[in-house]
Amino acid sequence: MSDSKYLVEVKDLKQHFKIPTGFFGHIDLKAVDGVSFNIKPGETLGLVGESGCGKTTVGRTLLRLYKPTSGEVRFNGELVTEQNITPLRKEMQMVFQDPYSSLDPRMTVEDIIGEPLDVHKLYANKNERRDKILSIMELVGLNAEHATRYAHEFSGGQRQRIGIARALAVNPKFIVCDEPVSALDVSIQAQVINMFEELQEKLGVAYLFIAHDLLVVHHISDRIAVMYLGRIVEIADADELNNSPIHPYTLSLLSAVPIPDPNKARQSKRIILEGDVPSPLRMPTGCPFRTRCKYATEKCAIECPSLTDRGNGHMVACWNK
Ligand SMILES: Nc1ncnc2c1ncn2[C@@H]1O[C@H](COP(=O)(O)OP(=O)(O)OP(=O)(O)O)[C@@H](O)[C@H]1O
Ligand code: SF4
Ligand SMILES: [Mg+2]
């Protein structure tokens, strides 16, 4: 324990996957290349960025589902290591994107939710186990009759409730939610998002909420971090980021979000990015965004900008903005 005001502190986290290139050779795929952020108890940090920018890898590496290449993660001030990760897993959980592949269809709901209770030995007898499972099911809006049914019998939205119940079973303080609604029908996405919010209010749990969709992220997040090619390029209070974005990449992401008001939509100009996202196997020198940035200067090709505070914790990594 420490007196840090943060629940989760991530400092210069890197995840370089080694991709084989023939006999004995390999090349580094820099999926996450020096990411830092903090999350307070009960807070939601949204993490957005295009497919392949490293969002899932950040979540998995910070929970040590992948061993980090370098960098550190602290939970409640305590450095997370290979040695203490097993007890800490009780505090830090993950909800996965695809509720179809992340739940074993041949297990009953009771056993899916009970498994983490078994692993962490969180009950004295069978009755207590069952009571705990039923109260968590109630919390996520599942009926007691569902307990003996199999995961494959449920719809996507119900399965995601089972996934959330499983994560909540051990009473964690922090959950990485990896695009938890993007595999669901649009019609039920809002219901599930609302449930995440209600659970946070009741339980005081903090989220790292990963999503493609800026509207979803803006709705649920206190703060938002924007990722591009393995790095965070901007991080700010959710409203501030939405109303006063600074980084050229954030501006282009926001300009692509449909605006419901047609008058406003007419005034705003869509910024179309030229070129493709470079491969993380062949990162540009300097700023990772420079190959698509209309503000790029010579310095951008030489040195990678770090995040600097532009006031009120609005952090931006850009030489020219
Ligand atoms: N286990 C792995 N081994 C090697 N490369 C990986 C591995 N996992 C991810 N990658 C690569 O790392 C990069 C980041 O992937 P990641 O899945 O973290 O992105 P993402 O932002 O979550 O994308 P999406 O929005 O599509 O889920 C990609 O280039 C991906 O191909
Ligand atoms: S540092 Fe340069 S290339 Fe990178 S976003 Fe800023 S202006 Fe563009
Ligand atoms: Mg992902």
Side-chain angles (χ1 to χ4, degrees):
M1 285 286 179
S2 81
D3 53 8
S4 166
K5 64 178 174 167
Y6 295 112
L7 182 69
V8 179
E9 295 166 89
V10 175
K11 207 160 138 198
D12 207 15
L13 194 66
K14 292 188 183 171
Q15 184 57 263
H16 296 179
F17 293 115
K18 296 214 174 305
I19 308 295
T21 54
F23 287 120
F24 308 116
H26 74 264
I27 180 168
D28 273 354
L29 187 151
K30 297 179 178 176
V32 176
D33 201 26
V35 157
S36 304
F37 57 82
N38 301 320
I39 303 178
K40 292 182 205 138
E43 185 186 40
T44 299
L45 176 69
L47 186 60
V48 284
E50 284 162 290
S51 184
C53 70
K55 304 179 296 296
T56 296
T57 307
V58 166
R60 287 180 165 261
T61 307
L62 104 81
L63 296 181
R64 269 195 183 250
L65 297 174
Y66 297 147
K67 189 171 184 277
T69 304
S70 62
E72 57 177 59
V73 176
R74 284 176 187 273
F75 182 82
N76 247 337
E78 184 184 357
L79 190 65
V80 180
T81 65
E82 210 63 54
Q83 285 69 41
N84 64 9
I85 186 60
T86 305
L88 281 178
R89 283 255 151 77
K90 199 175 107 30
E91 311 285 345
M92 302 193 283
Q93 287 284 310
M94 185 149 181
V95 174
F96 298 90
Q97 171 170 2
D98 185 357
Y100 293 91
S101 63
S102 59
L103 300 178
D104 185 339
R106 292 153 306 174
M107 280 171 83
T108 61
V109 172
E110 183 169 11
D111 285 337
I112 290 172
I113 302 171
E115 197 173 55
L117 296 175
D118 301 339
V119 169
H120 294 281
K121 300 184 177 57
L122 295 178
Y123 53 86
N125 53 50
K126 280 225 147 88
N127 282 344
E128 194 185 336
R129 181 180 189 267
R130 185 159 172 90
D131 288 348
K132 282 199 174 186
I133 291 169
L134 290 179
S135 72
I136 299 158
M137 287 177 65
E138 195 186 339
L139 204 61
V140 300
L142 292 166
N143 300 325
E145 306 87 82
H146 290 152
T148 51
R149 285 168 51 185
Y150 291 88
H152 71 81
E153 298 177 50
F154 292 88
S155 66
Q158 295 289 76
R159 283 189 205 205
Q160 203 50 305
R161 286 176 197 268
I162 301 168
I164 297 159
R166 180 183 164 92
L168 287 175
V170 292
N171 201 12
K173 310 252 178 348
F174 172 58
I175 304 181
V176 173
C177 311
D178 188 7
E179 308 219 27
V181 298
S182 55
L184 306 180
D185 281 353
V186 175
S187 58
I188 52 166
Q189 287 188 355
Q191 275 175 31
V192 177
I193 300 256
N194 287 342
M195 186 183 62
F196 272 101
E197 289 188 305
E198 284 162 24
L199 289 169
Q200 183 168 57
E201 257 169 51
K202 269 189 208 149
L203 308 171
V205 61
Y207 298 138
L208 176 67
F209 199 96
I210 298 172
H212 277 95
D213 187 332
L214 256 171
L215 282 177
V216 167
V217 171
H218 180 231
H219 176 82
I220 198 166
S221 304
D222 299 299
R223 285 184 303 132
I224 297 176
V226 178
M227 258 188 106
Y228 186 82
L229 264 186
R231 296 182 144 255
I232 290 178
V233 297
E234 183 159 10
I235 181 164
D237 170 83
D239 288 335
E240 159 102 6
L241 189 108
N242 203 49
N243 299 332
S244 319
I246 295 176
H247 195 280
Y249 179 60
T250 313
L251 284 162
S252 71
L253 272 188
L254 281 168
S255 80
V257 174
I259 300 173
D261 179 345
N263 295 321
K264 274 195 187 158
R266 241 175 272 126
Q267 288 160 17
S268 73
K269 219 167 128 222
R270 262 197 92 161
I271 304 166
I272 311 287
L273 285 180
E274 297 203 349
D276 295 323
V277 184
S279 161
L281 284 168
R282 280 172 294 277
M283 292 276 243
T285 56
C287 173
F289 190 55
R290 75 171 167 87
T291 54
R292 304 171 85 193
C293 181
K294 64 177 179 183
Y295 305 99
T297 49
E298 232 169 85
K299 186 175 185 179
C300 306
I302 298 165
E303 224 180 311
C304 183
S306 307
L307 286 168
T308 55
D309 197 337
R310 312 300 172 91
N312 292 330
H314 188 156
M315 312 279 286
V316 182
C318 178
W319 295 124
N320 300 325
K321 281 280 174 177

